[in-house]
Amino acid sequence: MKRWVSKWVTGLAVISLLTTAAPMAYAEKSSLKSKMFDLSAPAEQLIRDKELHNGTVMQSFAIDDVNQRIYVLQLMAGGQQLPGESGPVSGAQRDKNGDMTLTQLDLEGNKLGYMFLKGFGHGVQMGVETDGDTTYLWTETDSVTEGSSGWGTQLARFPFENGKILTPDSEELQKHQLIEGVDRTTVNIDQANGLLTMRYRQDGAFRFGVFELDKVLRQEYESIADVAQPSMGTFQGFASYGGYLYLLEGNSYGSSGSVEPTGNTYVTVVNLNTGKVVDKQLITAGTDLSFREPEGLAVRIPDARHPQKAELGIGFASSFTPLRLANVFTFDRLLPEQAIVNKNSKD
């Protein structure tokens, strides 16, 4: 009898350990689990035809949900002379140098501030991280010229400071080289799931590595997912949310097959757990915009108490030189992947 009771107690102890361990195992994987944005749903306008600090085309954007701010990257306009420069610098030279302007907006699109980032890169994508009262921006840095443009080779994290001019050597920068020997590095932050996604080029091919943000900050660079970029048109930005990667492509009206009013703006969705393309949708938001060039993706969490209720924002540049304007449209419907696959098969 005592032997049977002893075995019974031991069995209960093992079951107890297994049941308490299970949630921990799930938590380790849960950052790559989520529903998927339904990109066939109607989009809502967040901001429309808003001026940035320079009149150049917006390149990408990120949203600070805590402080209700939008940050927009653009190539620095030509004709400006910054402190330490011998004279005004042309727009072509700014592009070649990788000089960028960062504009801070509120959620209504009103300009609140700006920074200049000299020698950083092209601004294909960016990220934002909020730590207490401080907003940190994530961008590429250490620009190297290829063709007519400068492109980043590392990632940088720095606090927003209105009117500040930064270079790759500025002490405010915290740099991260997540993978040795790669270039064309750009970054996005999934704040809801604590993830950093980096696009990079290695051996001539583009890939996306996903890292846990807190480990990156400790300089522990081990990816939890790494997927290839599928075949697509002109690349214009990316964002990840949970288990899915969203890739933006397209051109302005009148170029490379983009015909008004439909255009050729598409978002491709990649499952980060499998690396497979699970959706691709033509985006018709903002079809009445002038020019209308797709520029950047960002995820917004309107209420931090409900991170599962997210929005995917798509940026578009509008209007004409010398005063390009910024626009953002959002999708807020999230569904299980199979529901979207089933829906697409019926259409």
Side-chain angles (χ1 to χ4, degrees), residues 60-64 69-72 125-128 137 297-298:
S60 59
F61 69 103
I63 301 175
D64 175 356
R69 299 288 184 262
I70 303 172
Y71 292 89
V72 183
Q125 193 56 60
M126 65 177 297
V128 64
L137 288 311
L297 294 175

Side-chain angles (χ1 to χ4, degrees), residues 46-52 68 70 103-112 326:
L46 182 62
I47 62 170
R48 184 183 179 98
D49 289 337
K50 299 300 181 179
E51 290 188 27
L52 303 175
Q68 304 289 287
I70 303 172
T103 303
Q104 183 194 59
L105 308 171
D106 62 22
L107 290 186
E108 285 70 51
N110 302 303
K111 192 182 84 168
L112 303 177

Side-chain angles (χ1 to χ4, degrees), residues 133-149:
D133 296 331
T134 305
T135 299
Y136 291 96
L137 288 311
W138 285 82
T139 68
E140 65 201 278
T141 190
D142 288 35
S143 178
V144 172
T145 302
E146 181 180 328
S148 60
S149 301

Side-chain angles (χ1 to χ4, degrees), residues 64-325:
D64 175 356
D65 302 304
V66 175
N67 298 299
Q68 304 289 287
R69 299 288 184 262
I70 303 172
Y71 292 89
V72 183
L73 274 180
Q74 53 186 151
L75 296 180
M76 199 181 296
Q80 298 179 95
Q81 180 179 354
L82 302 186
E85 296 176 345
S86 59
V89 180
S90 70
Q93 189 60 50
R94 293 291 189 194
D95 186 7
K96 192 173 183 179
N97 294 345
D99 295 345
M100 299 190 291
T101 300
L102 174 67
T103 303
Q104 183 194 59
L105 308 171
D106 62 22
L107 290 186
E108 285 70 51
N110 302 303
K111 192 182 84 168
L112 303 177
Y114 71 95
M115 295 179 73
F116 288 126
L117 312 176
K118 295 180 62 177
F120 275 57
H122 201 69
V124 173
Q125 193 56 60
M126 65 177 297
V128 64
E129 172 204 349
T130 306
D131 185 1
D133 296 331
T134 305
T135 299
Y136 291 96
L137 288 311
W138 285 82
T139 68
E140 65 201 278
T141 190
D142 288 35
S143 178
V144 172
T145 302
E146 181 180 328
S148 60
S149 301
W151 308 88
T153 56
Q154 293 194 58
L155 302 185
R157 174 185 187 256
F158 56 90
F160 178 81
E161 187 175 346
N162 189 28
K164 190 80 172 182
I165 301 172
L166 298 181
T167 72
D169 297 323
S170 295
E171 62 181 11
E172 291 88 348
L173 267 63
Q174 181 187 93
K175 293 186 185 180
H176 296 275
Q177 190 167 32
L178 305 186
I179 304 174
E180 296 285 342
V182 304
D183 60 8
R184 294 288 192 98
T185 54
T186 48
V187 62
N188 175 257
I189 302 295
D190 175 0
Q191 291 198 93
N193 296 286
L195 300 175
L196 178 153
T197 303
M198 178 180 74
R199 181 181 187 245
Y200 64 94
R201 185 175 64 178
Q202 187 174 49
D203 299 326
F206 284 101
R207 299 188 64 85
F208 297 85
V210 183
F211 301 79
E212 293 176 271
L213 180 58
D214 60 345
K215 290 186 177 181
V216 170
L217 294 174
R218 297 196 300 267
Q219 299 185 328
E220 299 173 15
Y221 306 142
E222 182 179 355
S223 65
I224 60 172
D226 195 283
V227 300
Q229 178 176 304
S231 177
M232 53 194 305
T234 303
F235 188 85
Q236 298 285 16
F238 69 97
S240 72
Y241 176 72
Y244 297 94
L245 175 68
Y246 301 86
L247 309 176
L248 180 65
E249 66 178 271
N251 305 91
S252 60
Y253 285 147
S255 61
S256 303
S258 178
V259 178
E260 191 174 359
T262 306
N264 65 348
T265 297
Y266 287 89
V267 172
T268 298
V269 188
V270 177
N271 185 314
L272 285 169
N273 292 285
T274 65
K276 294 182 179 179
V277 172
V278 291
D279 193 20
K280 184 172 184 176
Q281 294 287 337
L282 175 69
I283 304 300
T284 57
T287 52
D288 59 338
L289 293 171
S290 58
F291 184 67
R292 192 181 180 265
E293 183 175 16
E295 299 285 1
L297 294 175
V299 172
R300 180 189 177 206
I301 310 296
D303 187 343
R305 296 170 299 179
H306 302 287
Q308 78 281 4
K309 295 182 179 180
E311 299 177 1
L312 179 67
I314 299 181
F316 287 97
S318 65
S319 196
F320 302 96
T321 303
L323 187 61
R324 303 289 191 182
L325 302 174

